[in-house]
């Protein structure tokens, strides 16, 4: 039996023919051995030599380890390792982030990044709306979008949800959304909620304010498109889906269905289970790239190092993956959410720039003056950041912002 080596150290990476993955590897073995174990398991090999592997298969389909720098291993997978079925994220994930996580040869391994060749990028359509399309629908060309998550997460009736949305819009917010645990519970049926919220949004529009609210349709894969179509028919202007719990296939079913004509807001609840450990799991970055490929219009990327979810990536890599022009798709609207309040807005905008949607749930509903005042406080904070005026200075003439800064402080 031939003993094939997957090591091609020092050879140049070939971004036109290969999917290039960066893995952070923790192991007691020599790093070359651990890297070979990954390449073998994820492409043409297994734990032992096998009689059925010939040089033709190995040379055309075997993964290549092109570099090992410290604990960072670069592996290239030939484009031919991936399905000819157009745009299959499940199969891509099985290759680049599959069995390797369980390999005994590795104490820990984390997929940090992935780059796809043109031949695979071309299989995907990217967002229909993206950040520009959402801005166009809201008539908000430049300022950061400013939103809320209806709180409490669960418990409000359709009428109280709609009232919350109306108050948030009256306070100046451009966006609101269902929380990730709300879909179609008895206390707030999705049809009644969608209809009531649509009426609130119509009322706001008649008063001159454009706003969208994302209705959460996260459900079984065989029902999600049907539910989204219904929700759209009941008046939803935006739809929300959880990419981790529903899967990339579900997001893609929504984004590629010609009958769905509203933007798709992508939540990522559960991602912390595999993104939080810096040595094991999958970083958010590959997932962000895949969400853009499958056509999410807006995506949660965390709060760039401030806010309650600060265990997640604090750098700008996910923001850049949403907005960068290195892929042939429209930019995705990056959403900063999680423990946000008006006192954090300036710092977020300083880190993100203007192309961002900033959201606060507790930071709106927890305002001592109620939801409308909370929304005003957030809107004023975004206006101040947009104008480059420090929040406490702007607060001298903006009462709701002043109250919020007193309540929660500022960064
Ligand atoms: C924010 C939020 C978001 C998380 C997750 C929540 O509410 O609705 O789901 O921030 O976002 O329930 O926590 P608050 P991400 O504004 O009240 O914190 O995945 O980007 O971290
Ligand atoms: Mg939430």
């Amino acid at each position: 039996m031939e003993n094939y080596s997957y090591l091609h150290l020092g050879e140049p990476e070939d971004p036109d023919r290969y999917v290039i993955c960066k893995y952070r590897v923790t192991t007691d073995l020599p790093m070359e051995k651990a890297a070979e174990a990954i390449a073998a398991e994820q492409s043409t090999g297994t734990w032992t030599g096998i009689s059925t592997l010939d040089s033709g298969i190995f040379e055309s389909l075997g993964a290549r380890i092109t570099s090992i720098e410290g604990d960072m291993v670069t592996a290239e997978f030939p484009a031919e390792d991936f399905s000819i079925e157009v745009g299959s994220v499940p199969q891509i994930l099985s290759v680049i982030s599959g069995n390797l996580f369980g390999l005994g040869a590795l104490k820990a391994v984390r997929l940090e990044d992935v780059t796809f060749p043109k031949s695979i990028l071309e299989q995907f359509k990217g967002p229909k709306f993206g950040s520009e399309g959402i801005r166009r629908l809201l008539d908000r060309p430049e300022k950061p979008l400013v939103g809320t998550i209806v709180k409490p997460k669960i418990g409000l009736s359709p009428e109280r949800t709609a009232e919350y949305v109306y108050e948030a819009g009256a306070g100046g917010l451009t966006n609101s959304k269902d929380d990730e645990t709300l879909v179609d519970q008895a206390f707030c049926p999705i049809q009644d909620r969608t209809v009531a919220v649509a009426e609130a949004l119509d009322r706001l529009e008649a008063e001159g304010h454009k706003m969208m609210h994302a209705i959460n349709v996260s459900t079984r894969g065989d029902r999600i498109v049907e539910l989204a179509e219904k929700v759209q028919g009941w008046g939803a202007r935006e739809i929300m889906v959880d990419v981790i719990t529903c899967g990339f296939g579900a997001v893609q079913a929504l984004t590629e269905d010609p009958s769905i004509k509203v933007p798709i807001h992508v939540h990522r609840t559960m991602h912390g289970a595999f993104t939080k450990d810096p040595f094991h799991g999958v970083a958010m970055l590959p997932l962000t790239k895949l969400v853009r490929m499958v056509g999410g219009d807006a995506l949660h990327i965390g709060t760039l190092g401030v806010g309650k979810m600060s265990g997640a990536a604090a750098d700008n890599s996910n923001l850049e993956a949403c907005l960068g022009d290195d892929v042939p798709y429209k930019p995705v609207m990056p959403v900063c959410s999680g423990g946000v309040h008006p006192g954090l807005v300036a710092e977020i905008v300083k880190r993100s720039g203007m192309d961002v949607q900033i959201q606060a749930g507790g930071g709106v509903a927890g305002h001592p003056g109620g939801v409308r005042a909370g929304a005003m406080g957030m809107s004023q904070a975004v206006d101040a950041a947009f104008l480059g005026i420090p929040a406490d200075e702007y607060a001298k003439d903006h009462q709701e912002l002043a109250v919020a800064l007193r309540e929660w402080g500022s960064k």
Side-chain angles (χ1 to χ4, degrees):
M1 245 170 298
E2 190 80 32
N3 224 346
Y4 296 103
S5 170
Y6 294 86
L7 291 179
H8 294 258
L9 296 176
E11 288 182 27
E13 289 170 12
D14 184 352
D16 293 332
R17 209 196 131 205
Y18 291 90
V19 172
I20 301 171
C21 294
K22 306 268 184 206
Y23 297 103
R24 186 179 302 284
V25 176
T26 310
T27 181
D28 288 335
L29 293 178
M31 203 49 108
E32 282 84 0
K33 278 233 166 319
E36 286 221 81
I38 294 175
E41 179 63 31
Q42 298 308 126
S43 65
T44 56
T46 183
W47 58 274
T48 180
I50 45 175
S51 60
T52 43
L53 178 59
D54 59 38
S55 62
I57 295 176
F58 176 76
E59 265 148 40
S60 58
L61 302 177
R64 295 153 41 95
I65 302 299
T66 54
S67 114
I68 299 175
E69 283 173 27
D71 64 354
M72 194 64 79
V73 169
T74 303
E76 295 188 339
F77 298 94
E80 292 77 12
D81 288 9
F82 298 89
S83 266
I84 50 173
E85 182 201 0
V86 167
S88 171
V89 178
Q91 195 270 339
I92 289 174
L93 286 175
S94 296
V95 176
I96 68 172
S97 63
N99 280 356
L100 73 153
F101 299 113
L103 285 175
L106 314 176
K107 282 170 111 174
V109 56
R110 188 172 198 251
L111 172 63
E112 296 285 352
D113 195 7
V114 59
T115 313
F116 294 99
K118 211 163 147 234
S119 60
I120 290 184
L121 291 176
E122 280 170 358
Q123 295 180 8
F124 294 87
K125 299 188 172 75
K128 277 193 233 165
F129 295 88
S131 54
E132 294 154 22
I134 294 175
R135 282 185 177 286
R136 203 171 43 247
L137 289 170
L138 292 169
D139 265 344
R140 180 126 161 156
E142 289 179 320
K143 272 190 211 175
L145 304 185
V146 55
T148 187
I149 311 97
V150 175
K151 299 281 172 175
K153 293 170 102 96
I154 52 166
L156 295 187
S157 65
E159 295 70 32
R160 288 188 68 190
T161 304
E163 190 53 24
Y164 184 117
V165 173
Y166 177 79
E167 288 294 304
L173 299 191
T174 57
N175 292 76
S176 64
K177 62 177 262 305
D178 291 345
D179 222 327
E180 69 283 346
T181 55
L182 181 69
V183 181
D184 194 16
Q185 285 95 322
F187 57 79
C188 194
I190 193 166
Q191 177 169 3
D192 299 347
R193 176 169 83 256
T194 307
V195 169
V197 167
E199 281 169 13
L201 296 177
D202 287 347
R203 224 167 110 204
L204 286 163
E205 189 153 354
E207 292 162 10
H209 181 70
K210 284 197 176 170
M211 183 178 185
M212 53 175 74
H213 175 96
I215 297 284
N216 185 11
V217 298
S218 300
T219 187
R220 297 165 41 153
D222 59 338
R223 298 203 180 143
I224 197 163
V225 172
E226 188 191 334
L227 181 60
E229 281 171 352
K230 281 187 184 161
V231 154
Q232 194 181 246
W234 297 326
R237 296 181 186 192
E238 192 178 22
I239 282 166
M240 176 170 127
V241 59
D242 281 310
V243 60
I244 309 300
T245 58
C246 294
F248 282 89
V251 177
Q252 207 168 8
L254 293 172
T255 59
E256 292 188 7
D257 193 293
S259 64
I260 306 295
K261 301 195 189 311
V262 296
I264 312 288
H265 179 109
V266 180
H267 201 282
R268 55 177 190 162
T269 193
M270 201 175 127
H271 75 93
F274 46 85
T275 60
K276 192 166 180 172
D277 187 327
F279 295 104
H280 190 78
V282 181
M284 189 60 204
L285 184 57
L287 306 176
T288 299
K289 289 183 175 181
L290 287 165
V291 167
R292 187 166 176 190
M293 287 161 74
V294 300
D297 293 294
L299 170 68
H300 286 241
I301 61 151
T303 44
L304 309 175
V306 297
K308 78 176 179 187
M309 311 294 272
S310 52
D315 62 33
N316 272 24
S317 56
N318 289 294
L319 183 98
E320 282 156 17
C322 285
L323 299 175
D325 56 10
D326 54 335
V327 286
Y329 317 118
K330 289 181 181 154
V332 175
M333 176 57 79
V335 179
C336 291
S337 188
V340 174
H341 56 77
L344 300 181
V345 167
E347 186 60 30
I348 292 173
V349 171
K350 192 169 126 200
R351 296 176 189 205
S352 67
M354 298 299 161
D355 239 339
V356 67
Q357 175 172 329
I358 303 176
Q359 288 181 173
V364 165
H367 192 285
V371 171
R372 187 182 300 213
M376 289 170 79
M378 274 298 289
S379 304
Q380 291 160 1
V382 167
D383 287 350
F386 180 69
L387 295 168
I389 301 171
D392 29 2
E393 201 179 312
Y394 202 69
K396 287 179 189 152
D397 304 322
H398 295 87
Q399 165 72 9
E400 294 76 12
L401 177 58
V403 171
L405 295 180
R406 263 203 307 278
E407 184 73 10
W408 294 302
S410 60
K411 195 169 167 70

